Amino acid sequence: MVNSSQFPYFLLTEYLDMGYLKYLYFVILLMLYIVIVVANAFLIVTICMKRSLHEPMYVFLCSLLVNELYGSAGLFPFLLLQITSDTHTISRSICFLQIYCLYTYATVEFSNLAVMSYDRYLAICCPLHYKARLTSNKVALLIVLVWLYSLIKFLVSTFLTFRLKLCGNVIDRLYCQIYYVTKLACSDTTVNNVWGLFASFVTIGVPLIPILFSYTKILRVCVVGSKETRQKAVSTCTPHIASLLIFTFGCGFEIFQSRYNMTSVPRILRIVLSLYFVTIQGLFNPIIYGLRLSKIRQICRNLFFRKKI
């Protein structure tokens, strides 16, 4: 039986031989990363600096945008190094650090979107009790719980994978993933499989409950409510629903790709979709929330045109 310590690095085989085009792709990815950082950081600073945005909806949005920076930081610097490298290897420690960052990013994203759906439920269905039910202390507690729940849960998953004895070091992916590292194991993975099923159920099931509950209530209110209520629901829920659907599609493809044979799908398409679930959220969220939420849109317009708010 071969100990995993004999493999100080993993070899990533999904990278294409791009020749001199790799420098073009490097520039494209670098520009994409800069746009993600600037767009999310700009909205985070705007929300923090403007007292008129110190409301639960915008505080939860700020947490979501911070997570976009966290997730992109776990992927883009690594991709930029790999594109310009001739040998696509990653050290064992960095591999597990990347696994931890990307998986906690996904959990925080889904959990944060669940909390935001509950916020929209209270705002639309219980407007008179909104401030009483969602005080600043409760908002802070919910954000702390979202992050602690995600960070602690995947410590267990990462540790269980890290302790495995491996018989190889070749990962057929662009970046490290728990499933592909576990497939290299030549030791018993029963505990990993059981915990993986449990963690997947908790990761999806726990946030899904408040999302389904909230939108069932919102839909019911929209059906029997006034035109003004429906307009409010559409204007504030559209960015959230769009973000939720896009993120769910990206994660769903990653899960589907890791469990089934996807060789019939063109390789370049698989590569693009593999990067989709991290990159699209970082680009989409600041744009859609900045355009759809009137307070943020107005403040951004005033900032760009140097008007006094």
Side-chain angles (χ1 to χ4, degrees):
M1 190 172 288
V2 184
N3 194 292
S4 60
S5 61
Q6 293 180 351
F7 299 106
Y9 64 87
F10 292 98
L11 178 63
L12 304 169
T13 61
E14 192 69 3
Y15 287 88
L16 300 171
D17 183 11
M18 297 174 287
Y20 288 109
L21 282 177
K22 65 184 179 182
Y23 299 107
L24 173 62
Y25 292 123
F26 174 87
V27 172
I28 293 173
L29 272 181
L30 179 61
M31 294 302 295
L32 182 61
Y33 185 38
I34 291 173
V35 170
I36 290 174
V37 171
V38 171
N40 286 277
F42 174 76
L43 278 190
I44 290 169
V45 172
T46 300
I47 293 171
C48 292
M49 296 296 291
K50 300 299 177 181
R51 294 185 62 85
S52 61
L53 297 180
H54 292 180
E55 300 176 7
M57 177 172 64
Y58 301 106
V59 176
F60 291 137
L61 174 59
C62 188
S63 173
L64 190 73
L65 298 174
V66 169
N67 191 46
E68 306 308 341
L69 294 179
Y70 171 67
S72 58
L75 179 65
F76 276 93
F78 167 78
L79 284 179
L80 291 170
L81 289 174
Q82 288 295 324
I83 284 178
T84 56
S85 175
D86 293 325
T87 57
H88 304 296
T89 60
I90 180 173
S91 69
R92 187 166 177 264
S93 57
I94 297 298
C95 178
F96 282 100
L97 177 62
Q98 185 178 63
I99 285 173
Y100 182 74
C101 287
L102 293 181
Y103 279 74
T104 51
Y105 158 77
T107 308
V108 170
E109 190 82 1
F110 200 23
S111 301
N112 211 125
L113 288 169
V115 171
M116 291 174 75
S117 70
Y118 178 69
D119 167 73
R120 291 300 82 208
Y121 153 70
L122 291 179
I124 295 168
C125 301
C126 312
L128 298 179
H129 305 284
Y130 179 72
K131 291 186 178 180
R133 291 194 184 185
L134 213 55
T135 63
S136 57
N137 288 336
K138 289 181 180 178
V139 170
L141 178 61
L142 284 171
I143 290 175
V144 169
L145 287 176
V146 163
W147 283 84
L148 282 181
Y149 155 76
S150 305
L151 295 174
I152 292 173
K153 181 165 67 70
F154 269 102
L155 276 177
V156 179
S157 301
T158 307
F159 170 76
L160 289 175
T161 309
F162 186 82
R163 70 179 180 83
L164 290 175
K165 297 178 180 180
L166 307 180
C167 293
N169 67 337
V170 178
I171 299 176
D172 189 26
R173 302 292 291 146
L174 290 173
Y175 50 87
C176 289
Q177 292 185 14
I178 283 182
Y179 177 76
Y180 287 90
V181 174
T182 305
K183 283 177 65 176
L184 299 174
C186 48
S187 57
D188 184 33
T189 60
T190 302
V191 176
N192 296 69
N193 295 334
V194 172
W195 174 260
L197 289 173
F198 171 76
S200 299
F201 174 78
V202 171
T203 301
I204 298 172
V206 171
L208 195 60
I209 292 172
I211 290 173
L212 293 177
F213 169 82
S214 298
Y215 278 106
T216 300
K217 294 291 186 179
I218 291 172
L219 183 61
R220 183 179 300 174
V221 168
C222 289
V223 170
V224 301
S226 63
K227 181 180 179 181
E228 183 181 351
T229 301
R230 288 193 291 271
Q231 288 176 342
K232 180 182 178 181
V234 170
S235 64
T236 60
C237 292
T238 298
H240 179 266
I241 294 173
S243 179
L244 182 62
L245 291 176
I246 289 173
F247 181 70
T248 302
F249 172 78
C251 290
F253 177 81
E254 278 301 288
I255 295 172
F256 190 83
Q257 182 175 221
S258 64
R259 296 300 190 274
Y260 299 97
N261 185 3
M262 300 290 289
T263 53
S264 59
V265 178
R267 191 176 183 185
I268 190 64
L269 181 59
R270 295 202 309 268
I271 291 174
V272 170
L273 290 176
S274 292
L275 302 176
Y276 171 90
F277 92 103
V278 175
T279 57
I280 195 64
Q281 290 294 101
L283 284 172
F284 177 82
N285 283 336
I287 293 174
I288 191 65
Y289 282 103
L291 292 176
R292 290 292 300 178
L293 298 182
S294 57
K295 280 190 177 182
I296 291 182
R297 186 172 64 246
Q298 183 61 42
I299 288 174
C300 291
R301 186 185 296 119
N302 291 338
L303 286 174
F304 281 119
F305 290 97
R306 300 174 181 270
K307 290 182 179 179
K308 189 174 181 179
I309 298 175

